[in-house]
Structures are given as C-alpha cells and as structure tokens.
Amino acid sequence: MTGGWTRRDFLRRSAAAGAVALAGPAVLAACSSTSSGDTLETAKKAGTIKVGIANEAPYGFTGPDGKTATGESVEVGRAVLKALGINAVDAQVVDFNGLIPGLNARQFDMVTAGMFINKARCGAATFSDPDYTAPTAFLVPKGNPKSVLTFDDVKSKTLKLAVLSGAVEQGYAQKSGIPDGQIQAFDTQNSLLQAVATGRADAGALTNISLNDVVSKNPSAAVEVTKGFFPVIDGQETLSAGAFVFRKGDDAFVNAFNAELKKLHDSGEWLKIAAPFGFNQDNVPKSDVTTQRLCSA
C-alpha cells in the first residue's frame, strides 16, 4: 500500500540511507528496530526516540556537517518531544517512499519529514493534527510588475509560467485553462528560479514553502514570492497540509503530541521555529483544516 510514494508523487496529488544524530553520536543501525509496547512511555523512560527523515529541505535534512539533522519538521518535533520529556532525538535517513514502511517495521517510532496527509497514507499510519498548510504561490520579479496573484492572471495576461515538472502546479495551470504553450516545465527548483530571474518566464508556481526556501538560498536573485493561496480546481479547494506520522495504535502518543503541538501553534512559538525554513503566517493551519477532513478527502 505504501510503495511508490515519492515526494514528486505527493506533489502531484493528481487532480542516502544512514543514521544521523540530533543529540550526541549516531546510534542507529540499518537493521535497528524499536521495542513494542507503549511507545511514548518507553521513549520517556529512555529519554530518547528514533525518528525517520528523508534528508529533504526544508522539512528534515542533514546540516552542513553532514551529521546533525534539522528542518521545520525536525525542529518542531524536537520542541514537542522535549515538552513531553523526551530530550534526545536520533534520526534515520531513508528514501521518502520508505518512511511509512520503516515506521511500521519499527525501525523508528515516528516520522518527522513534513509528509502530506492523504487518504491512502491514512490507511497505513496515523497522522498528527496538521503541522502546517502548503498553499500555492508565485515566484515573480521584484515588485511583481505583471501583478500575478492567480492562475487566471497568468491566463488572461498571456504570461509565461514556469512549473516543476510533474508537480501539482503543472496540473493546476492546465486545469485553470492556461494553454500548454504558456507553460514551461523545469526539473529543479533552481532552474525554475533562474527562468524567472532571467525573464524567460514571467512567474513560477510552486508551494510558498518551497519558493521561500529557494529564495532564501539565493539572496542576490531579484525575485519575490506572492501571498499563498489554495487554488479552486474543478470546483474544489486544493487544500494540502503536512503532519507528523505515527504507527497505528499509538493513540496515547498521538494525543499527547497533538496537545503540545497545539500549544506551539496557539502561542506563536511554532512560527518562530518554522520561519527560518521558509514558513510564514500563510502556513499556519486554520481551524477547519483537520486530519479527519484530509484523511477522508
């Protein structure tokens, strides 16, 4: 059921293995497994927990030293776990599509990789309350000279739009009636950035998280990111949200985690933690964005 869920597949939404230590030396082996029983209580007694990441910015990735893991999901997860009495976090890097299988095989006890909530994944694992939402945004030249805010703007003004090949925004553009001749597909985010920065494209469409991240890494580029929004495609709002992932049956762990995650959101502390990774107020989940809603969509 979980095979083939690559990051690019999750972006469609179709309308290097190893151990990394977050606190202290690496302690995981490829064949390591966690114990059965009450996951939360076991982790609290041990003072440490094993988590899975996909080594992907800005969610969960290794830092410049190649050992320390960081990212929005990692840092938010660390803050919640610390509040639960778990001070050390050991991260195992696996392919994105191996995260849920690894979780269920007890190689680690939760996933901190910014994974989107969807119906298929909800059948294989339990998701926390939404950690963040991922609205679409546009990368545009500084000052947004063409006033691009929606896909309709691109269509009506006959603008050239850059998209990531195979990503959901390519489908959004097509379903919004933008002719294929106006759409340019690129294989990487940096290529999309360069297309807009050099004027080969008037705008680029992707999640605001990814665009904010790539802009932060290219401060000399004369571009900016528009306000995020959820396009209405085929009469439906294209709502996307990411969360932490747990094994089925770990209800006590999930409930305790959700309670502390809510405190981070309510206090504004979440935004302080997430902002360095390209997240802003547009990514704070609204009250009507629930895991139950997204699991049944």
Short mmCIF file of all heavy atoms in Angstrom, two decimals, residues 4-5 12 15 23 28 40 63 74 80 95 99 127-129 132 146 151 158-159 164 166 181 215 232 256 277 285 291:
data_model
loop_
_atom_site.label_atom_id
_atom_site.label_comp_id
_atom_site.label_asym_id
_atom_site.label_seq_id
_atom_site.Cartn_x
_atom_site.Cartn_y
_atom_site.Cartn_z
N GLY A 4 6.00 3.37 -3.60
CA GLY A 4 5.95 4.35 -4.66
C GLY A 4 5.51 5.74 -4.24
O GLY A 4 5.25 6.57 -5.10
N TRP A 5 5.43 6.03 -2.96
CA TRP A 5 5.01 7.36 -2.54
C TRP A 5 6.22 8.29 -2.49
O TRP A 5 6.71 8.64 -1.44
CB TRP A 5 4.35 7.31 -1.17
CG TRP A 5 3.02 6.66 -1.19
CD1 TRP A 5 2.23 6.42 -2.26
CD2 TRP A 5 2.30 6.14 -0.08
NE1 TRP A 5 1.08 5.79 -1.89
CE2 TRP A 5 1.09 5.61 -0.56
CE3 TRP A 5 2.57 6.08 1.29
CZ2 TRP A 5 0.16 5.02 0.29
CZ3 TRP A 5 1.64 5.49 2.11
CH2 TRP A 5 0.44 4.97 1.62
N ARG A 12 2.30 15.66 -6.93
CA ARG A 12 1.28 15.52 -7.97
C ARG A 12 -0.11 15.57 -7.36
O ARG A 12 -0.96 16.30 -7.81
CB ARG A 12 1.44 14.19 -8.70
CG ARG A 12 2.59 14.15 -9.67
CD ARG A 12 2.46 12.94 -10.58
NE ARG A 12 3.60 12.84 -11.47
CZ ARG A 12 4.64 12.06 -11.26
NH1 ARG A 12 4.68 11.30 -10.19
NH2 ARG A 12 5.63 12.02 -12.11
N ALA A 15 -4.85 15.62 -9.19
CA ALA A 15 -6.22 16.13 -9.50
C ALA A 15 -6.63 15.57 -10.46
O ALA A 15 -6.75 15.60 -11.21
CB ALA A 15 -6.56 17.40 -9.13
N ALA A 23 21.23 14.54 18.74
CA ALA A 23 21.74 14.88 20.07
C ALA A 23 22.74 13.80 20.46
O ALA A 23 22.38 12.74 20.92
CB ALA A 23 20.62 14.94 21.08
N LEU A 28 22.07 4.61 15.45
CA LEU A 28 21.19 3.72 14.70
C LEU A 28 21.98 2.83 13.76
O LEU A 28 22.98 3.24 13.20
CB LEU A 28 20.19 4.53 13.87
CG LEU A 28 19.23 5.42 14.66
CD1 LEU A 28 18.28 6.09 13.69
CD2 LEU A 28 18.45 4.61 15.66
N LEU A 40 5.27 6.01 23.77
CA LEU A 40 5.54 7.25 24.49
C LEU A 40 6.24 6.98 25.82
O LEU A 40 7.27 7.60 26.13
CB LEU A 40 4.24 8.01 24.73
CG LEU A 40 4.36 9.29 25.56
CD1 LEU A 40 5.33 10.27 24.91
CD2 LEU A 40 2.98 9.94 25.74
N GLY A 63 22.50 18.82 8.26
CA GLY A 63 23.10 20.14 8.18
C GLY A 63 24.43 20.13 7.46
O GLY A 63 24.85 19.11 6.89
N VAL A 74 11.70 18.56 11.86
CA VAL A 74 12.62 18.08 12.90
C VAL A 74 12.61 19.02 14.10
O VAL A 74 12.51 18.59 15.25
CB VAL A 74 14.05 17.95 12.34
CG1 VAL A 74 15.05 17.70 13.47
CG2 VAL A 74 14.12 16.82 11.32
N VAL A 80 8.21 19.71 20.58
CA VAL A 80 7.08 18.97 21.15
C VAL A 80 7.57 17.83 22.02
O VAL A 80 7.09 17.63 23.15
CB VAL A 80 6.15 18.45 20.04
CG1 VAL A 80 5.09 17.51 20.62
CG2 VAL A 80 5.49 19.60 19.30
N ASP A 95 14.76 6.80 2.10
CA ASP A 95 14.05 7.38 0.96
C ASP A 95 12.65 7.78 1.41
O ASP A 95 12.05 7.12 2.27
CB ASP A 95 13.94 6.36 -0.18
CG ASP A 95 15.28 6.11 -0.87
OD1 ASP A 95 16.18 6.97 -0.72
OD2 ASP A 95 15.41 5.07 -1.52
N LEU A 99 9.52 5.79 4.27
CA LEU A 99 9.27 6.30 5.61
C LEU A 99 8.17 5.54 6.35
O LEU A 99 8.36 5.11 7.48
CB LEU A 99 8.94 7.79 5.56
CG LEU A 99 10.12 8.72 5.25
CD1 LEU A 99 9.64 10.13 4.95
CD2 LEU A 99 11.10 8.74 6.42
N PHE A 127 -1.74 10.04 11.46
CA PHE A 127 -1.16 11.37 11.36
C PHE A 127 -1.55 12.22 12.56
O PHE A 127 -2.65 12.10 13.09
CB PHE A 127 -1.64 12.06 10.08
CG PHE A 127 -0.93 11.60 8.83
CD1 PHE A 127 -1.30 10.41 8.22
CD2 PHE A 127 0.09 12.34 8.27
CE1 PHE A 127 -0.65 9.96 7.08
CE2 PHE A 127 0.75 11.91 7.14
CZ PHE A 127 0.38 10.72 6.53
N SER A 128 -0.64 13.10 12.96
CA SER A 128 -0.95 14.08 13.99
C SER A 128 -1.93 15.10 13.42
O SER A 128 -2.30 15.05 12.24
CB SER A 128 0.33 14.80 14.43
OG SER A 128 0.81 15.65 13.39
N ASP A 129 -2.33 16.04 14.26
CA ASP A 129 -3.05 17.19 13.74
C ASP A 129 -2.14 17.89 12.74
O ASP A 129 -0.90 17.77 12.81
CB ASP A 129 -3.40 18.15 14.88
CG ASP A 129 -4.48 17.61 15.80
OD1 ASP A 129 -5.24 16.70 15.37
OD2 ASP A 129 -4.56 18.08 16.95
N TYR A 132 1.32 22.11 9.41
CA TYR A 132 1.36 23.28 8.54
C TYR A 132 0.48 23.05 7.32
O TYR A 132 0.13 21.91 7.00
CB TYR A 132 2.80 23.55 8.06
CG TYR A 132 3.33 22.48 7.12
CD1 TYR A 132 3.15 22.59 5.74
CD2 TYR A 132 3.98 21.35 7.59
CE1 TYR A 132 3.60 21.60 4.87
CE2 TYR A 132 4.43 20.37 6.74
CZ TYR A 132 4.24 20.50 5.38
OH TYR A 132 4.68 19.51 4.53
N LYS A 146 4.00 42.32 -13.27
CA LYS A 146 2.83 41.87 -14.04
C LYS A 146 1.61 41.61 -13.14
O LYS A 146 0.59 41.15 -13.62
CB LYS A 146 3.19 40.58 -14.81
CG LYS A 146 4.36 40.73 -15.78
CD LYS A 146 4.02 41.64 -16.95
CE LYS A 146 5.19 41.81 -17.91
NZ LYS A 146 5.56 40.58 -18.62
N PHE A 151 -3.82 31.97 -11.05
CA PHE A 151 -3.63 31.33 -12.35
C PHE A 151 -4.43 32.06 -13.43
O PHE A 151 -4.03 32.09 -14.59
CB PHE A 151 -4.03 29.85 -12.28
CG PHE A 151 -3.03 29.00 -11.55
CD1 PHE A 151 -3.31 28.51 -10.29
CD2 PHE A 151 -1.81 28.68 -12.12
CE1 PHE A 151 -2.40 27.72 -9.61
CE2 PHE A 151 -0.87 27.89 -11.45
CZ PHE A 151 -1.17 27.41 -10.18
N THR A 158 -1.69 36.38 -20.76
CA THR A 158 -0.86 35.61 -21.69
C THR A 158 0.60 35.60 -21.23
O THR A 158 1.52 35.88 -22.01
CB THR A 158 -0.96 36.15 -23.13
OG1 THR A 158 -2.31 36.51 -23.41
CG2 THR A 158 -0.53 35.11 -24.15
N LEU A 159 0.79 35.25 -19.97
CA LEU A 159 2.13 35.23 -19.41
C LEU A 159 2.77 33.86 -19.51
O LEU A 159 2.08 32.84 -19.65
CB LEU A 159 2.06 35.66 -17.93
CG LEU A 159 1.44 37.03 -17.66
CD1 LEU A 159 1.42 37.31 -16.16
CD2 LEU A 159 2.18 38.13 -18.41
N LEU A 164 7.34 23.12 -11.86
CA LEU A 164 8.23 21.99 -11.64
C LEU A 164 7.64 20.79 -12.36
O LEU A 164 6.46 20.46 -12.18
CB LEU A 164 8.36 21.71 -10.14
CG LEU A 164 9.51 20.81 -9.71
CD1 LEU A 164 10.86 21.44 -10.05
CD2 LEU A 164 9.42 20.54 -8.21
N GLY A 166 6.07 17.60 -13.40
CA GLY A 166 5.36 16.55 -12.68
C GLY A 166 4.71 17.01 -11.39
O GLY A 166 3.97 16.24 -10.77
N GLY A 181 1.26 26.13 -24.38
CA GLY A 181 2.30 27.00 -24.94
C GLY A 181 2.80 28.06 -23.98
O GLY A 181 3.87 28.63 -24.17
N VAL A 215 14.34 31.02 -2.45
CA VAL A 215 14.70 32.44 -2.47
C VAL A 215 15.69 32.76 -1.36
O VAL A 215 16.64 33.52 -1.54
CB VAL A 215 13.44 33.32 -2.37
CG1 VAL A 215 13.82 34.78 -2.10
CG2 VAL A 215 12.62 33.24 -3.65
N VAL A 232 -8.79 26.88 -6.57
CA VAL A 232 -10.02 26.11 -6.70
C VAL A 232 -9.97 25.44 -8.07
O VAL A 232 -9.99 26.11 -9.11
CB VAL A 232 -11.27 27.00 -6.58
CG1 VAL A 232 -12.53 26.19 -6.84
CG2 VAL A 232 -11.33 27.64 -5.20
N ALA A 256 -0.98 12.96 23.09
CA ALA A 256 -0.07 13.79 23.87
C ALA A 256 0.71 14.74 22.94
O ALA A 256 0.91 15.92 23.26
CB ALA A 256 0.90 12.91 24.65
N PHE A 277 12.91 28.24 8.01
CA PHE A 277 12.87 27.23 6.95
C PHE A 277 11.90 27.61 5.83
O PHE A 277 11.51 26.76 5.02
CB PHE A 277 12.51 25.88 7.55
CG PHE A 277 13.46 25.45 8.63
CD1 PHE A 277 13.13 25.60 9.97
CD2 PHE A 277 14.72 24.96 8.31
CE1 PHE A 277 14.01 25.24 10.97
CE2 PHE A 277 15.62 24.60 9.30
CZ PHE A 277 15.27 24.74 10.64
N PRO A 285 -2.07 26.35 10.05
CA PRO A 285 -3.36 25.72 9.72
C PRO A 285 -4.54 26.46 10.34
O PRO A 285 -4.52 26.85 11.50
CB PRO A 285 -3.23 24.31 10.33
CG PRO A 285 -1.76 24.09 10.46
CD PRO A 285 -1.18 25.44 10.78
N THR A 291 -7.09 16.74 10.34
CA THR A 291 -6.61 15.47 9.82
C THR A 291 -7.78 14.60 9.34
O THR A 291 -7.69 13.93 8.29
CB THR A 291 -5.81 14.72 10.89
OG1 THR A 291 -4.67 15.53 11.25
CG2 THR A 291 -5.31 13.38 10.39
#
